[in-house]
Amino acid sequence: MKIYTKTGDSGTTALFGGTRVPKHHLRIESYGTVDELNSHLGLIRDQKIAEHYKGLIIEIQNKLFTLGAILATDPNKAVLKNGKERLDIEKISLQDIELLEKEIDIMNDALPPMTHFVLPGGHQSVSFCHIARCVCRRAERLASALNELEPFDNRVLTYLNRLSDYLFVLARKLSFDLQADEIKWIPEKK
C-alpha cells in the first residue's frame, strides 16, 4: 500500500463511498478534529497512569476511529432509498456511551465534591487531559454544525459530549491520584 496517492494534490479528498470534496469541507474538519483528539488521547495513554485508564483510552481510541468513519461517510451513499444501509460501517452503541457514564460515576465517587471551576494544569498528565477535552469539544461543535446540514446517527454527538465529560473528570481524578494541585477558579470581585 502506497502512502501517497497524489489524488489529493488539487485540494480534494475522497469520502467513504468515493465522493470527492474539498479538503476544507465541514465533514473533513469534523473527522479531522476527531483524529486530532485521538492523537491527544495517545499522549494521555503514554503517561504514567493506571493501567485501567490506559486500557479504557485504547477502547475510546478505537471508538473514535468508528466515529470518524461515520463522519467520513457520504450520507447519500450510506443509505439506499429503502432505508437499508449500503456501506457496512460500525456504529456507536448505547453501551459505548454508558461505559463512559459508568467510568465518570466511578471516578466522581472517589473525588471530593466540585465547588468551583478548576484551572487546567497542575501536572503534565492532567494538562494533556484538559487539552484533549478542549479538542473533543471542538470536534463536537464541528460535528453538530455538520449534523444540521447533513444529519447522521445522533449517538455520535452524544458520545463526543460524554467523552468531553469523561476527560474532565479524568483530569480531576489524575490530579487526585498524582497529588497535584487543583486550583479553583474564583472570580475576582470588583
Side-chain angles (χ1 to χ4, degrees), residues 10 19 23 47 53 55 57 61 81 87-88 94 111 115 124 129-130 138-139 150 154 159 164 185:
S10 64
T19 304
K23 290 188 178 186
Q47 301 301 298
Y53 302 134
I57 289 170
Q61 287 182 294
K81 289 189 189 323
L87 298 172
D88 185 25
L94 186 57
L111 293 169
T115 58
Q124 186 176 40
C129 287
H130 283 292
R138 179 164 28 99
E150 299 174 352
N154 62 356
Y159 190 84
S164 64
W185 176 65

PDB file of all heavy atoms in Angstrom, residues 10 19 23 47 53 55 57 61 81 87-88 94 111 115 124 129-130 138-139 150 154 159 164 185:
ATOM      1  N   SER A  10      -4.848  18.356  -5.706  1.00  0.00           N
ATOM      2  CA  SER A  10      -5.604  19.535  -6.159  1.00  0.00           C
ATOM      3  C   SER A  10      -6.493  20.107  -5.048  1.00  0.00           C
ATOM      4  O   SER A  10      -7.314  20.979  -5.311  1.00  0.00           O
ATOM      5  CB  SER A  10      -6.459  19.171  -7.380  1.00  0.00           C
ATOM      6  OG  SER A  10      -7.425  18.206  -7.003  1.00  0.00           O
ATOM      7  N   THR A  19     -17.168   9.806  -2.971  1.00  0.00           N
ATOM      8  CA  THR A  19     -17.435  11.209  -3.319  1.00  0.00           C
ATOM      9  C   THR A  19     -16.217  12.061  -2.964  1.00  0.00           C
ATOM     10  O   THR A  19     -15.652  11.932  -1.886  1.00  0.00           O
ATOM     11  CB  THR A  19     -18.653  11.726  -2.535  1.00  0.00           C
ATOM     12  OG1 THR A  19     -19.765  10.881  -2.797  1.00  0.00           O
ATOM     13  CG2 THR A  19     -18.990  13.160  -2.916  1.00  0.00           C
ATOM     14  N   LYS A  23     -10.829  19.715   0.723  1.00  0.00           N
ATOM     15  CA  LYS A  23     -10.224  19.342   1.998  1.00  0.00           C
ATOM     16  C   LYS A  23     -10.651  20.258   3.150  1.00  0.00           C
ATOM     17  O   LYS A  23     -10.468  19.909   4.306  1.00  0.00           O
ATOM     18  CB  LYS A  23      -8.702  19.301   1.877  1.00  0.00           C
ATOM     19  CG  LYS A  23      -8.235  18.136   1.035  1.00  0.00           C
ATOM     20  CD  LYS A  23      -6.741  17.986   1.065  1.00  0.00           C
ATOM     21  CE  LYS A  23      -6.340  16.757   0.243  1.00  0.00           C
ATOM     22  NZ  LYS A  23      -4.911  16.475   0.349  1.00  0.00           N
ATOM     23  N   GLN A  47       1.337   8.457  29.344  1.00  0.00           N
ATOM     24  CA  GLN A  47       1.743   8.962  30.654  1.00  0.00           C
ATOM     25  C   GLN A  47       1.811   7.820  31.661  1.00  0.00           C
ATOM     26  O   GLN A  47       1.311   6.732  31.429  1.00  0.00           O
ATOM     27  CB  GLN A  47       0.739  10.031  31.134  1.00  0.00           C
ATOM     28  CG  GLN A  47       0.585  11.215  30.218  1.00  0.00           C
ATOM     29  CD  GLN A  47       1.889  11.940  29.997  1.00  0.00           C
ATOM     30  OE1 GLN A  47       2.479  12.460  30.933  1.00  0.00           O
ATOM     31  NE2 GLN A  47       2.345  11.976  28.753  1.00  0.00           N
ATOM     32  N   TYR A  53      -6.931   3.077  33.163  1.00  0.00           N
ATOM     33  CA  TYR A  53      -7.176   4.233  32.298  1.00  0.00           C
ATOM     34  C   TYR A  53      -6.575   4.010  30.918  1.00  0.00           C
ATOM     35  O   TYR A  53      -7.185   4.360  29.908  1.00  0.00           O
ATOM     36  CB  TYR A  53      -6.600   5.506  32.913  1.00  0.00           C
ATOM     37  CG  TYR A  53      -7.154   5.827  34.277  1.00  0.00           C
ATOM     38  CD1 TYR A  53      -6.308   6.195  35.316  1.00  0.00           C
ATOM     39  CD2 TYR A  53      -8.516   5.758  34.542  1.00  0.00           C
ATOM     40  CE1 TYR A  53      -6.798   6.488  36.582  1.00  0.00           C
ATOM     41  CE2 TYR A  53      -9.024   6.043  35.798  1.00  0.00           C
ATOM     42  CZ  TYR A  53      -8.153   6.402  36.810  1.00  0.00           C
ATOM     43  OH  TYR A  53      -8.648   6.687  38.058  1.00  0.00           O
ATOM     44  N   GLY A  55      -6.132   1.173  29.361  1.00  0.00           N
ATOM     45  CA  GLY A  55      -6.980   0.224  28.639  1.00  0.00           C
ATOM     46  C   GLY A  55      -8.249   0.874  28.124  1.00  0.00           C
ATOM     47  O   GLY A  55      -8.671   0.634  26.985  1.00  0.00           O
ATOM     48  N   ILE A  57      -8.653   4.055  27.499  1.00  0.00           N
ATOM     49  CA  ILE A  57      -8.297   5.007  26.446  1.00  0.00           C
ATOM     50  C   ILE A  57      -8.112   4.282  25.114  1.00  0.00           C
ATOM     51  O   ILE A  57      -8.546   4.779  24.063  1.00  0.00           O
ATOM     52  CB  ILE A  57      -7.058   5.843  26.842  1.00  0.00           C
ATOM     53  CG1 ILE A  57      -7.458   6.829  27.950  1.00  0.00           C
ATOM     54  CG2 ILE A  57      -6.482   6.583  25.636  1.00  0.00           C
ATOM     55  CD1 ILE A  57      -6.298   7.548  28.600  1.00  0.00           C
ATOM     56  N   GLN A  61     -10.105   5.163  21.839  1.00  0.00           N
ATOM     57  CA  GLN A  61      -9.442   5.455  20.566  1.00  0.00           C
ATOM     58  C   GLN A  61     -10.032   4.608  19.431  1.00  0.00           C
ATOM     59  O   GLN A  61     -10.228   5.107  18.319  1.00  0.00           O
ATOM     60  CB  GLN A  61      -7.933   5.215  20.683  1.00  0.00           C
ATOM     61  CG  GLN A  61      -7.241   6.305  21.498  1.00  0.00           C
ATOM     62  CD  GLN A  61      -5.746   6.078  21.571  1.00  0.00           C
ATOM     63  OE1 GLN A  61      -5.287   5.106  22.155  1.00  0.00           O
ATOM     64  NE2 GLN A  61      -4.998   6.988  20.971  1.00  0.00           N
ATOM     65  N   LYS A  81     -32.434   4.091  -0.889  1.00  0.00           N
ATOM     66  CA  LYS A  81     -33.754   4.719  -0.799  1.00  0.00           C
ATOM     67  C   LYS A  81     -34.737   3.939   0.081  1.00  0.00           C
ATOM     68  O   LYS A  81     -35.582   4.516   0.718  1.00  0.00           O
ATOM     69  CB  LYS A  81     -34.337   4.895  -2.204  1.00  0.00           C
ATOM     70  CG  LYS A  81     -33.637   5.962  -3.012  1.00  0.00           C
ATOM     71  CD  LYS A  81     -34.395   6.219  -4.293  1.00  0.00           C
ATOM     72  CE  LYS A  81     -33.733   7.090  -5.281  1.00  0.00           C
ATOM     73  NZ  LYS A  81     -32.980   8.194  -4.944  1.00  0.00           N
ATOM     74  N   LEU A  87     -23.366   1.013   2.860  1.00  0.00           N
ATOM     75  CA  LEU A  87     -21.994   0.823   3.316  1.00  0.00           C
ATOM     76  C   LEU A  87     -22.018   0.208   4.705  1.00  0.00           C
ATOM     77  O   LEU A  87     -22.731   0.678   5.592  1.00  0.00           O
ATOM     78  CB  LEU A  87     -21.250   2.164   3.331  1.00  0.00           C
ATOM     79  CG  LEU A  87     -21.114   2.847   1.979  1.00  0.00           C
ATOM     80  CD1 LEU A  87     -20.539   4.239   2.143  1.00  0.00           C
ATOM     81  CD2 LEU A  87     -20.248   2.030   1.043  1.00  0.00           C
ATOM     82  N   ASP A  88     -21.239  -0.804   4.898  1.00  0.00           N
ATOM     83  CA  ASP A  88     -21.221  -1.517   6.168  1.00  0.00           C
ATOM     84  C   ASP A  88     -20.170  -0.886   7.088  1.00  0.00           C
ATOM     85  O   ASP A  88     -18.985  -1.189   6.976  1.00  0.00           O
ATOM     86  CB  ASP A  88     -20.909  -2.993   5.926  1.00  0.00           C
ATOM     87  CG  ASP A  88     -20.988  -3.804   7.201  1.00  0.00           C
ATOM     88  OD1 ASP A  88     -21.711  -3.386   8.121  1.00  0.00           O
ATOM     89  OD2 ASP A  88     -20.315  -4.844   7.270  1.00  0.00           O
ATOM     90  N   LEU A  94     -25.312   2.381  22.364  1.00  0.00           N
ATOM     91  CA  LEU A  94     -25.724   2.902  23.662  1.00  0.00           C
ATOM     92  C   LEU A  94     -24.771   2.401  24.747  1.00  0.00           C
ATOM     93  O   LEU A  94     -24.432   3.136  25.679  1.00  0.00           O
ATOM     94  CB  LEU A  94     -27.165   2.488  23.964  1.00  0.00           C
ATOM     95  CG  LEU A  94     -27.789   3.069  25.228  1.00  0.00           C
ATOM     96  CD1 LEU A  94     -27.762   4.587  25.215  1.00  0.00           C
ATOM     97  CD2 LEU A  94     -29.220   2.567  25.369  1.00  0.00           C
ATOM     98  N   LEU A 111     -13.797  11.267  44.281  1.00  0.00           N
ATOM     99  CA  LEU A 111     -13.262  12.635  44.342  1.00  0.00           C
ATOM    100  C   LEU A 111     -14.032  13.491  45.329  1.00  0.00           C
ATOM    101  O   LEU A 111     -15.224  13.274  45.553  1.00  0.00           O
ATOM    102  CB  LEU A 111     -13.342  13.288  42.954  1.00  0.00           C
ATOM    103  CG  LEU A 111     -12.437  12.697  41.885  1.00  0.00           C
ATOM    104  CD1 LEU A 111     -12.811  13.253  40.516  1.00  0.00           C
ATOM    105  CD2 LEU A 111     -10.985  12.980  42.205  1.00  0.00           C
ATOM    106  N   THR A 115     -16.745  22.316  43.871  1.00  0.00           N
ATOM    107  CA  THR A 115     -17.475  23.504  44.298  1.00  0.00           C
ATOM    108  C   THR A 115     -17.213  24.707  43.395  1.00  0.00           C
ATOM    109  O   THR A 115     -17.938  25.690  43.463  1.00  0.00           O
ATOM    110  CB  THR A 115     -17.093  23.872  45.747  1.00  0.00           C
ATOM    111  OG1 THR A 115     -15.666  24.077  45.809  1.00  0.00           O
ATOM    112  CG2 THR A 115     -17.487  22.761  46.718  1.00  0.00           C
ATOM    113  N   GLN A 124       1.598  17.483  34.104  1.00  0.00           N
ATOM    114  CA  GLN A 124       1.568  17.306  32.654  1.00  0.00           C
ATOM    115  C   GLN A 124       0.440  16.365  32.211  1.00  0.00           C
ATOM    116  O   GLN A 124      -0.264  16.644  31.241  1.00  0.00           O
ATOM    117  CB  GLN A 124       2.912  16.774  32.167  1.00  0.00           C
ATOM    118  CG  GLN A 124       3.009  16.694  30.658  1.00  0.00           C
ATOM    119  CD  GLN A 124       4.380  16.252  30.186  1.00  0.00           C
ATOM    120  OE1 GLN A 124       4.997  15.363  30.788  1.00  0.00           O
ATOM    121  NE2 GLN A 124       4.854  16.858  29.126  1.00  0.00           N
ATOM    122  N   CYS A 129      -5.040  15.932  29.554  1.00  0.00           N
ATOM    123  CA  CYS A 129      -6.485  15.637  29.610  1.00  0.00           C
ATOM    124  C   CYS A 129      -7.304  16.867  29.254  1.00  0.00           C
ATOM    125  O   CYS A 129      -8.297  16.776  28.525  1.00  0.00           O
ATOM    126  CB  CYS A 129      -6.888  15.150  31.002  1.00  0.00           C
ATOM    127  SG  CYS A 129      -6.355  13.485  31.382  1.00  0.00           S
ATOM    128  N   HIS A 130      -6.901  18.019  29.787  1.00  0.00           N
ATOM    129  CA  HIS A 130      -7.646  19.248  29.505  1.00  0.00           C
ATOM    130  C   HIS A 130      -7.528  19.650  28.033  1.00  0.00           C
ATOM    131  O   HIS A 130      -8.508  20.106  27.426  1.00  0.00           O
ATOM    132  CB  HIS A 130      -7.194  20.382  30.421  1.00  0.00           C
ATOM    133  CG  HIS A 130      -7.741  20.275  31.802  1.00  0.00           C
ATOM    134  ND1 HIS A 130      -9.085  20.433  32.074  1.00  0.00           N
ATOM    135  CD2 HIS A 130      -7.139  20.005  32.988  1.00  0.00           C
ATOM    136  CE1 HIS A 130      -9.288  20.283  33.374  1.00  0.00           C
ATOM    137  NE2 HIS A 130      -8.121  20.014  33.953  1.00  0.00           N
ATOM    138  N   ARG A 138     -14.333  20.896  20.520  1.00  0.00           N
ATOM    139  CA  ARG A 138     -14.290  21.455  19.162  1.00  0.00           C
ATOM    140  C   ARG A 138     -14.832  20.439  18.160  1.00  0.00           C
ATOM    141  O   ARG A 138     -15.610  20.792  17.267  1.00  0.00           O
ATOM    142  CB  ARG A 138     -12.859  21.864  18.789  1.00  0.00           C
ATOM    143  CG  ARG A 138     -12.762  22.423  17.394  1.00  0.00           C
ATOM    144  CD  ARG A 138     -11.471  23.192  17.096  1.00  0.00           C
ATOM    145  NE  ARG A 138     -10.328  22.803  17.841  1.00  0.00           N
ATOM    146  CZ  ARG A 138      -9.360  21.984  17.390  1.00  0.00           C
ATOM    147  NH1 ARG A 138      -9.436  21.464  16.186  1.00  0.00           N
ATOM    148  NH2 ARG A 138      -8.316  21.709  18.145  1.00  0.00           N
ATOM    149  N   ALA A 139     -14.440  19.171  18.321  1.00  0.00           N
ATOM    150  CA  ALA A 139     -14.968  18.121  17.442  1.00  0.00           C
ATOM    151  C   ALA A 139     -16.485  18.057  17.555  1.00  0.00           C
ATOM    152  O   ALA A 139     -17.190  17.911  16.544  1.00  0.00           O
ATOM    153  CB  ALA A 139     -14.341  16.773  17.800  1.00  0.00           C
ATOM    154  N   GLU A 150     -26.178  17.876   7.207  1.00  0.00           N
ATOM    155  CA  GLU A 150     -26.261  16.502   6.697  1.00  0.00           C
ATOM    156  C   GLU A 150     -26.374  15.562   7.894  1.00  0.00           C
ATOM    157  O   GLU A 150     -25.363  15.080   8.402  1.00  0.00           O
ATOM    158  CB  GLU A 150     -25.018  16.159   5.864  1.00  0.00           C
ATOM    159  CG  GLU A 150     -24.835  17.051   4.651  1.00  0.00           C
ATOM    160  CD  GLU A 150     -23.515  16.791   3.927  1.00  0.00           C
ATOM    161  OE1 GLU A 150     -22.659  16.035   4.432  1.00  0.00           O
ATOM    162  OE2 GLU A 150     -23.350  17.355   2.834  1.00  0.00           O
ATOM    163  N   ASN A 154     -27.354  10.205  15.774  1.00  0.00           N
ATOM    164  CA  ASN A 154     -27.215  11.161  16.875  1.00  0.00           C
ATOM    165  C   ASN A 154     -26.341  10.649  18.018  1.00  0.00           C
ATOM    166  O   ASN A 154     -25.926  11.414  18.870  1.00  0.00           O
ATOM    167  CB  ASN A 154     -28.587  11.600  17.398  1.00  0.00           C
ATOM    168  CG  ASN A 154     -29.396  10.452  17.970  1.00  0.00           C
ATOM    169  OD1 ASN A 154     -28.987   9.297  17.919  1.00  0.00           O
ATOM    170  ND2 ASN A 154     -30.553  10.775  18.509  1.00  0.00           N
ATOM    171  N   TYR A 159     -21.854  10.673  22.115  1.00  0.00           N
ATOM    172  CA  TYR A 159     -20.575  10.096  22.509  1.00  0.00           C
ATOM    173  C   TYR A 159     -19.527  11.194  22.707  1.00  0.00           C
ATOM    174  O   TYR A 159     -18.786  11.185  23.707  1.00  0.00           O
ATOM    175  CB  TYR A 159     -20.093   9.075  21.473  1.00  0.00           C
ATOM    176  CG  TYR A 159     -18.908   8.274  21.956  1.00  0.00           C
ATOM    177  CD1 TYR A 159     -19.085   7.154  22.749  1.00  0.00           C
ATOM    178  CD2 TYR A 159     -17.603   8.645  21.624  1.00  0.00           C
ATOM    179  CE1 TYR A 159     -18.011   6.415  23.214  1.00  0.00           C
ATOM    180  CE2 TYR A 159     -16.520   7.915  22.080  1.00  0.00           C
ATOM    181  CZ  TYR A 159     -16.721   6.806  22.877  1.00  0.00           C
ATOM    182  OH  TYR A 159     -15.634   6.088  23.340  1.00  0.00           O
ATOM    183  N   SER A 164     -16.105  14.285  26.393  1.00  0.00           N
ATOM    184  CA  SER A 164     -15.509  15.503  26.966  1.00  0.00           C
ATOM    185  C   SER A 164     -15.736  15.542  28.473  1.00  0.00           C
ATOM    186  O   SER A 164     -14.851  15.960  29.235  1.00  0.00           O
ATOM    187  CB  SER A 164     -16.044  16.758  26.275  1.00  0.00           C
ATOM    188  OG  SER A 164     -17.411  16.905  26.498  1.00  0.00           O
ATOM    189  N   TRP A 185     -11.006  28.144  40.315  1.00  0.00           N
ATOM    190  CA  TRP A 185     -11.182  29.469  39.721  1.00  0.00           C
ATOM    191  C   TRP A 185     -12.218  30.197  40.567  1.00  0.00           C
ATOM    192  O   TRP A 185     -13.361  29.787  40.676  1.00  0.00           O
ATOM    193  CB  TRP A 185     -11.680  29.357  38.274  1.00  0.00           C
ATOM    194  CG  TRP A 185     -11.963  30.709  37.669  1.00  0.00           C
ATOM    195  CD1 TRP A 185     -11.057  31.687  37.410  1.00  0.00           C
ATOM    196  CD2 TRP A 185     -13.236  31.211  37.280  1.00  0.00           C
ATOM    197  NE1 TRP A 185     -11.689  32.779  36.867  1.00  0.00           N
ATOM    198  CE2 TRP A 185     -13.034  32.517  36.780  1.00  0.00           C
ATOM    199  CE3 TRP A 185     -14.517  30.708  37.303  1.00  0.00           C
ATOM    200  CZ2 TRP A 185     -14.069  33.307  36.316  1.00  0.00           C
ATOM    201  CZ3 TRP A 185     -15.558  31.489  36.830  1.00  0.00           C
ATOM    202  CH2 TRP A 185     -15.330  32.784  36.343  1.00  0.00           C
TER     203      TRP A 185
END
